[in-house]
Amino acid sequence: MSDVFCAHRSLIRRMAVAAALMLLSSIGAHAAGFPKELRVALQAINVPLDAVGIWVAPVDTGKPSLSHNPDMPMNPASVMKLVTTFATLDRLGPAYFWTTRLATDGAMHGNTLEGNVYLVGGGDPVFTHADLWKLFRQLRTLGIERIKGDIVLDDTALRLPPHDPDRFDGQALRPYNAGPSGLMISFNALRLTFVPEPEAELPAAAPQVASLVSTPPTTALAPTGPRPPRVLLDPPMTGFELDTELTSAPGRCAARWYKALDALPEQTRKGDRLKLSGEWRDDCGVKDWFVSPMSPERFAEAVVNGLWHEMGGRLSGRVMHGRVTREANTLFVHTSRPLADVVRDMNKWSNNVIARQLLATLGASDRDAPDMVSGGARLTRVQLAAADIDLTGFEIENGAGLSRSARITPKGLGQLLQRAWERPFMPEFMSSMAVAGIDGTARKRLRNSDARGTAHIKTGTLNDVRAMAGYVIDQNGRRHAVAMMVNHPNAGASHAAQDVLLEWVWEGH
């Protein structure tokens, strides 16, 4: 009995040793498969491998050729927009569109409309000042010059939670911090155009005339030096004042010239005011700077009022927010560009306002959610789960990735890319991303590499976060899904390491 027991124990020991050797062999193979160039690039910026997540897989198999920390939830920054893109294309379809309409509850008498005009938003993420002009132009074409009532703005298409533009990073004026709205106009962004003013010319010298009468010599005027630039506003807004206290100085224009400027919004008895100060350099030439000085509601009121009066229209009442009445008849309808075009605008240039609008649009069908943003987040999770995408630690806050709580695993991101590749909307999904070395936020990536133009990627950057995900076609013509996230204080310097990974995939490893 003892001999049998010893033999059995010896067999168990040998099996355990064999299992351990197999495990070590597997770990060694995994370590050996990690690209050496990538390891060196990460070591050069002092980013440890445990702060990095990677998933690479050919789209024709979906089986990872490189997987590192695949199950670790990580902050993807703006790469989260790919999740929003997938969920909206999957649920709404690439041909989905929004409408914005003009309606009235009054009748025309000559050139006067006896009643109110309603501008009814539909949550269009890309409704612009030019689109508003077209609607008002149609109204003027009817012969309407005077509205004997109010212009009522209805933004109730989206049921939204309170939004604090200062909460994320304390930069409330930055357009990327603007909240969603059922009637968003031009991304709620005001364009300030700086135009250098020429130096004042000295008066011409009087011609010398011979005279017998002695006259005292004239004193030469001192050079005036450079003058502060002229600042133009677009779009024009009623009840908005720009107070400029800029100084002009000689010297070269800095790459981030706007860092020398400061803008402070104020509310006065007359309306909204933006106080602009700082140092300007004429070497910058003509420059545009976009700010978001007020809420979407106040911005829409000021823009609508300003445009109607600029077009020669008169208004007996005022521009105000309200709801369209049942008695109102629709006059004109503006139809947005399709969702396929909208996600391209969003991803190519990482537009956060569009992403917020899309998540809220997605949540419109969730009647039980407290608001459409949380409803959109819930339905996104439903869409991903239905597509069998890993949801370990998944968290989506606003759809834009402008968040400290957003999370997804490298495996989940890779699976999302794989599922999108298999969907009918694959062409629209992939073409929404920037092409490395060519356009969008990736136009400076791989610029001098043979892999230039072979990668469609979405990039993302926050403090302590740098991420990218998309598709790479290797030099053998095979397409791969690629995702890489770095969550570390040195993450900002990891773009070169990410480029190393893209080149490694392009080489066909």
Side-chain angles (χ1 to χ4, degrees), residues 122-455:
D124 185 351
V126 291
F127 186 75
T128 66
H129 181 258
D131 297 326
L132 178 63
W133 181 89
K134 292 176 184 177
L135 282 174
F136 277 177
R137 180 60 188 166
Q138 289 178 295
L139 196 62
R140 296 285 280 118
T141 302
L142 290 178
I144 297 174
E145 179 180 328
R146 179 186 177 192
I147 299 172
K148 198 173 182 181
D150 300 317
I151 299 179
V152 181
L153 310 184
D154 188 340
D155 63 359
T156 58
L158 298 182
R159 187 165 42 89
L160 301 167
H163 177 76
D164 179 7
D166 198 56
R167 185 177 70 88
F168 178 71
D169 58 3
Q171 301 290 327
L173 279 179
R174 298 293 180 90
Y176 61 74
N177 276 321
S181 170
L183 182 59
M184 176 72 67
I185 301 177
S186 295
F187 310 117
N188 201 53
L190 174 67
R191 181 173 66 184
L192 306 178
T193 300
F194 297 80
V195 182
E197 289 276 32
E199 295 184 19
E201 295 182 2
L202 297 177
Q208 298 294 323
V209 179
S211 173
L212 298 175
V213 181
S214 175
T215 58
T218 58
T219 303
L221 296 177
T224 61
R227 295 192 294 174
R230 184 186 313 175
V231 185
L232 310 179
L233 298 181
D234 183 50
M237 298 192 297
T238 298
F240 182 82
E241 178 186 358
L242 182 65
D243 182 11
T244 58
E245 296 182 0
L246 298 172
T247 59
S248 187
R252 296 187 61 183
C253 183
R256 296 188 176 185
W257 55 273
Y258 50 85
K259 292 289 187 180
L261 305 181
D262 188 32
L264 178 65
E266 300 174 342
Q267 287 191 8
T268 68
R269 287 180 297 176
K270 295 181 179 179
D272 291 275
R273 177 170 63 185
L274 185 67
K275 187 175 181 181
L276 194 63
S277 60
E279 187 178 85
W280 166 262
R281 297 190 174 182
D282 283 350
D283 185 60
C284 291
V286 178
K287 290 287 188 182
D288 288 335
W289 190 34
F290 290 88
V291 294
S292 186
M294 58 186 79
S295 69
E297 294 76 22
R298 294 176 67 87
F299 186 79
E301 289 175 2
V303 169
V304 167
N305 205 340
L307 180 59
W308 179 246
H309 286 94
E310 184 184 54
M311 296 179 71
R314 292 182 294 159
L315 181 64
S316 298
R318 61 194 180 99
V319 178
M320 56 181 287
H321 271 77
R323 299 194 71 151
V324 63
T325 62
R326 292 183 178 181
E327 296 77 19
N329 297 311
T330 297
L331 295 174
F332 305 105
V333 176
H334 168 78
T335 301
S336 75
R337 290 179 290 135
L339 178 60
D341 288 352
V342 173
V343 295
R344 187 179 300 116
D345 286 351
M346 176 178 73
N347 289 333
K348 288 279 188 184
W349 299 102
S350 204
N351 189 301
N352 294 293
V353 177
I354 293 178
R356 292 179 186 270
Q357 292 281 119
L358 291 189
L359 191 67
T361 297
L362 190 64
S365 61
D366 190 344
R367 304 292 182 182
D368 298 327
D371 57 72
M372 292 180 181
V373 174
S374 57
R378 190 187 73 83
L379 288 177
T380 297
R381 178 179 288 273
V382 170
Q383 293 299 117
L384 268 57
D388 196 26
I389 294 171
D390 179 47
L391 293 176
T392 302
F394 178 75
E395 183 68 34
I396 181 171
E397 181 182 356
N398 50 42
L402 201 65
S403 166
R404 289 297 172 190
S405 63
R407 293 292 186 275
I408 191 170
T409 64
K411 179 181 178 180
L413 201 49
Q415 289 176 336
L416 181 137
L417 294 167
Q418 181 66 37
R419 302 297 182 270
W421 181 261
E422 297 163 355
R423 291 293 201 268
F425 57 76
M426 178 275 291
E428 290 84 5
F429 183 83
M430 187 169 75
S431 65
S432 75
M433 298 180 227
V435 183
I438 303 295
D439 66 3
T441 58
R443 64 193 181 280
K444 296 181 180 180
R445 308 288 289 269
L446 304 179
R447 181 174 287 179
N448 300 315
S449 169
D450 290 337
R452 178 178 181 266
T454 65

Side-chain angles (χ1 to χ4, degrees), residues 27-87:
I27 293 173
H30 176 74
F34 196 95
K36 179 181 178 181
E37 302 90 339
L38 180 55
R39 186 189 301 274
V40 170
L42 291 169
Q43 288 174 343
I45 57 174
N46 295 317
V47 170
L49 293 184
D50 60 7
V52 179
I54 297 174
W55 182 273
V56 179
V59 295
D60 54 359
T61 67
K63 296 180 180 180
S65 53
L66 178 60
S67 172
H68 181 72
N69 292 327
D71 302 315
M72 182 169 65
M74 303 183 73
N75 191 327
S78 282
V79 174
M80 183 60 80
K81 292 182 177 70
L82 291 184
V83 176
T84 304
T85 302
F86 179 90

